[in-house]
Amino acid sequence: MLITRQSRFSSLLIIAAAIILSMALPSCSKAPQKPAPSVILISIDTCRPDHLSCYGYPHNTTPRIDAFARDGIRFKNTVSAVPMTLPSHCSMMTGIYPLVHGVHDNLSYRLHDSATTLAEILREHGYDTAGIIGSFVLDSRFGIQQGFTLYNDRLNSSLAADKSSGSERKAQEVTRLAEAYLQKSHNRPFFLFLHYYDPHDSYLPPEPYASAHPGRPYDGEIAYTDHCIGEVLDKLKELEIYDSSLIIITADHGEGLREHEELVHGYYIYQSTLRVPLMIKPPHASNPRELDGPASLIDIPPTILGQLGLEIPEIMQGIDLLAEGGAVSKGETTRYLLCESLIPTKFGCSPLLGVITEDWKYIQAPRAELYNLKTDSAELDNRLSAEPRHARRLSARLKNLLAEQPTGGSADSRAMPDAETRERLQSLGYISGGEIDESFTFDNSRPDPKDLLVVYQGLQNVMHLMGAGAFTEADSLCRALMKDHPDILNLHIILGDIATQKGDAAAAMEHYRRFIELSPGPDPARPDTIDPEQAQAHLGLANHLADAGELEEAIAEYREALRYIPHHVDALFNLAASLGEAGRLDEVIVTLKRLLTIKPDYAEAHYNLGYAYLLQQKFEEAADQFSEALRLQPDYADAYIELGNIQISRGRIPDAVFNYSEALRSEPGRPDVLIKYANGLLKMGRTDEALMKYREGVSRFPNFPPLANELALILASHQDPRYRDGEEAVRIATSLCERTGFSDALFMGTLAAAYAETGRFDAAVKMEEQAQRAAQSAGITALVQSSEARLALYQQRQPLRIRFGP
């Protein structure tokens, strides 16, 4: 009605009225907004595009991904900046190169908290954010979880792959978790990141995919993953959100598959390990097509933000691939993409640094390489000598690009892995080796990485053998590498680690000491430089010295490890343990407090700090630390027990009983805790429950005599006659004494009480005297004193009565 009446006025009045109306009634003046599209980002680990059917592979490996590619846009020439899982995903999530975010390897790095991730940006704009990962390499401890409301990195599933001992989960499990999330969250805008790890070596595809691709297990893994991704796409369609969602399928890097003699990935930067698939289906896609221009994984965040109409942060170095007139779709626009591998620097080699354009690729090394990607996609014809002009131009461009990068993330991104992290990564084939050199210099005086590929691949085999428990074979292979390359000193550390796993402490210490003797030690000009190799050698030596009881030497070696890495969590924790064994409690407390400033969420450190306070009889401080350990780790049985013990001493029996019950819930196989729990029930007057728990414990733990002894004592001496049974007490106590050869004063004392309860006072006196002599012989003064009081009772022909309850 208002619009009809307004039509009689002049156009000026109509405009004025419309303005007033829009101010007064905003809900009537705005068209309803479409809900924001959900985003699904799927990353297939170690997936070469030329093994996908939609990229021209002659074998039918990916029917489900092929169908998806026909719905959207397929990018034919996409590369990763680095052929390693963690740094590549850091770039995928931040839109910046490794040189900027500072993560260059799967070991000794984590994405720093100062980085801004795609998940953080989307969460700030109202998206629910969830990540479901397939491998420990992307565990939250490496910082990649930033911005995710849900980040499922718990890999202890029954479907975890056998080959990695729980360090990865199969594609079927990733899909199951994804479908459960979609079912729950599909009615609101969400960002779901899925990581499938299966094509990573070793290649063990399940049936029927193994039989469908005989002799090609890598293809079988891809086909299996394709099937599982297809089930996710089916779920999106079932929920009617497939069409409206922005969906991306890509990979973090490729696989060598023996091209350029590289078996897997991580060392070279050839297209075999850098080129990745990239397919994008925009919301309500209507223009499926292929694009040839160069693209990079750093383009994923700005492309997603561009499609959602959100601002792209200036720090992002990628571009919106779908923007109208974008650089990728313009054949005449030259785009330069960086790539790197710093892994060769672990062996003293030059780094591998490269620049890629639509046509050319230049690799900086002592023996540099230049390839025409249009005519030589396999990079078999080095055109360096034939095309010197292109080589000089790209070399200069590479230097300029490296100089232009806003560095600063590397120092913050270094993180020394603890022993458990290092072992789990090694079980997946990732080598520790030496320290990575992040100088990014063109140093042609150093060995060319091509000359030491055999060492890298040999060490990968060593790590796989160690992960499989084949320590003898790992030792032999490592010694062979050392024979051919004696200048690679960190082989001594690996041999020390192998000897440690084999239980040969002497050999392990010899190797660690040999490394320490041969290595140059700290650089006086750079006293603050961390040195993971030195720290690891001193730590390994210290651990064996501590196990041998050489505490002072161990303490000195732990301090040496900390000189090279002051924030080394394992060194600090083990140093505190050795100081505790040496009785130096004040130093224990100082060391653990220092550790907790570095890792405040370390539950076991809080527990040990609480125990140190407990030994100093600082009960309030101890209780605070045990409580904090439980907040961080709710199933920490020992923390429940110690907290319960403190509460018992303060007369807070119900609180203690609760904590003992929680300890039993966490660790049901603890008969020592069962006694504490049942005793607490007795003190509360819940005798029936206590007796039931004791009988249950005697049945479950027949080889834990204290349980049976507690039960017999109650039956022999409880103040309430309803709970006494002298004959049963005699049977139980007699069995205990016979099992111990009538040498245990406590058990003999219980048998004496049982005799007295049945009226056999002469036998009670005789047995109590025997118990007293055993206690005197063992020097147990308190037991001798209580025995004297009991003996007097029996001599007066009176049974023992104990008030167990309130």
Side-chain angles (χ1 to χ4, degrees), residues 28 42 45 86 180 200 251 323 329 333 366 375 393 444 473 500 533 542 576 588 609 665 730 799:
C28 297
I42 300 174
D45 210 293
L86 178 61
H200 195 282
S329 61
T333 300
T375 61
R393 177 177 64 85
N444 291 336
E473 294 86 344
T500 297
E533 293 177 279
V588 170
L609 180 56
R665 181 185 56 81
V730 169

Side-chain angles (χ1 to χ4, degrees), residues 251-466:
D252 56 348
H253 53 74
E255 189 76 316
L257 299 180
R258 298 187 181 278
E259 292 187 22
H260 300 276
E261 300 183 353
E262 186 173 22
L263 300 177
V264 285
H265 61 272
Y267 192 80
Y268 284 150
I269 52 173
Y270 297 115
Q271 295 295 87
S272 54
T273 61
L274 281 189
R275 187 167 171 248
V276 295
L278 177 61
M279 290 151 278
I280 302 176
K281 187 203 75 63
H284 309 289
S286 59
N287 184 24
R289 59 196 185 279
E290 295 180 351
L291 293 177
D292 289 331
S296 171
L297 292 182
I298 64 171
D299 298 329
I300 288 177
T303 299
I304 290 174
L305 296 177
Q307 282 292 292
L308 301 180
L310 301 178
E311 182 179 356
I312 300 172
E314 289 186 9
I315 192 173
M316 286 190 177
Q317 298 170 293
I319 63 173
D320 179 356
L321 295 174
L322 302 183
E324 185 175 354
V328 171
S329 61
K330 286 186 177 181
E332 72 279 9
T333 300
T334 299
R335 188 180 185 200
Y336 299 92
L337 298 175
L338 286 173
C339 57
E340 67 166 66
S341 173
L342 304 190
I343 301 302
T345 66
K346 291 185 176 185
F347 312 108
C349 294
S350 165
L352 289 171
L353 307 170
V355 61
I356 302 172
T357 70
E358 188 170 1
D359 296 331
W360 293 93
K361 180 176 182 180
Y362 174 78
I363 300 175
Q364 171 60 38
R367 299 194 300 278
E369 300 168 70
L370 177 71
Y371 298 102
N372 187 326
L373 298 179
K374 288 291 186 182
T375 61
D376 178 28
S377 60
E379 297 165 292
L380 299 176
D381 181 16
N382 185 355
R383 306 295 294 169
L384 189 77
S385 299
E387 304 279 357
R389 182 174 61 86
H390 280 306
R392 286 194 299 271
R393 177 177 64 85
L394 291 175
S395 176
R397 185 60 175 153
L398 176 60
K399 284 184 179 180
N400 290 338
L401 285 171
L402 293 173
E404 292 167 2
Q405 300 302 304
T407 59
S410 294
D412 292 334
S413 300
R414 296 305 299 268
M416 186 63 188
D418 58 28
E420 183 251 352
T421 298
R422 187 170 60 251
E423 288 172 8
R424 292 183 70 178
L425 289 173
Q426 287 177 350
S427 76
L428 295 170
Y430 298 113
I431 65 171
S432 51
E435 183 181 2
I436 279 182
D437 181 352
E438 299 175 356
S439 58
F440 287 89
T441 56
F442 288 19
D443 185 356
N444 291 336
S445 66
R446 298 165 72 177
D448 192 292
K450 293 182 283 292
D451 297 330
L452 289 180
L453 174 66
V454 64
V455 177
Y456 174 72
Q457 297 194 147
L459 283 177
Q460 281 189 314
N461 288 334
V462 168
M463 297 305 150
H464 278 304
L465 289 168
M466 291 177 68

Side-chain angles (χ1 to χ4, degrees), residues 648-669:
I648 285 284
S649 69
R650 295 175 172 179
R652 293 165 53 186
I653 310 302
D655 292 338
V657 168
F658 169 79
N659 280 305
Y660 293 145
S661 69
E662 287 296 295
L664 285 172
R665 181 185 56 81
S666 300
E667 293 187 22

Side-chain angles (χ1 to χ4, degrees), residues 36-47:
S38 291
V39 181
I40 300 95
L41 172 59
I42 300 174
S43 173
I44 310 171
D45 210 293
T46 322
C47 184

Side-chain angles (χ1 to χ4, degrees), residues 569-632:
V569 170
D570 284 344
L572 285 165
F573 187 85
N574 292 355
L575 171 61
S578 291
L579 289 167
E581 289 183 59
R584 294 155 63 174
L585 292 179
D586 288 337
E587 292 177 75
V588 170
I589 291 170
V590 169
T591 303
L592 289 174
K593 284 184 174 180
R594 174 182 166 189
L595 168 56
L596 288 169
T597 63
I598 299 166
K599 190 175 181 179
D601 59 348
Y602 196 169
E604 196 168 359
H606 282 287
Y607 172 83
N608 282 6
L609 180 56
Y611 202 80
Y613 281 133
L614 191 63
L615 293 175
Q616 291 187 334
Q617 297 187 354
K618 296 179 179 178
F619 300 113
E620 290 289 345
E621 293 90 337
D624 288 343
Q625 293 301 321
F626 293 140
S627 297
E628 180 63 12
L630 289 170
R631 186 188 68 80
L632 294 167

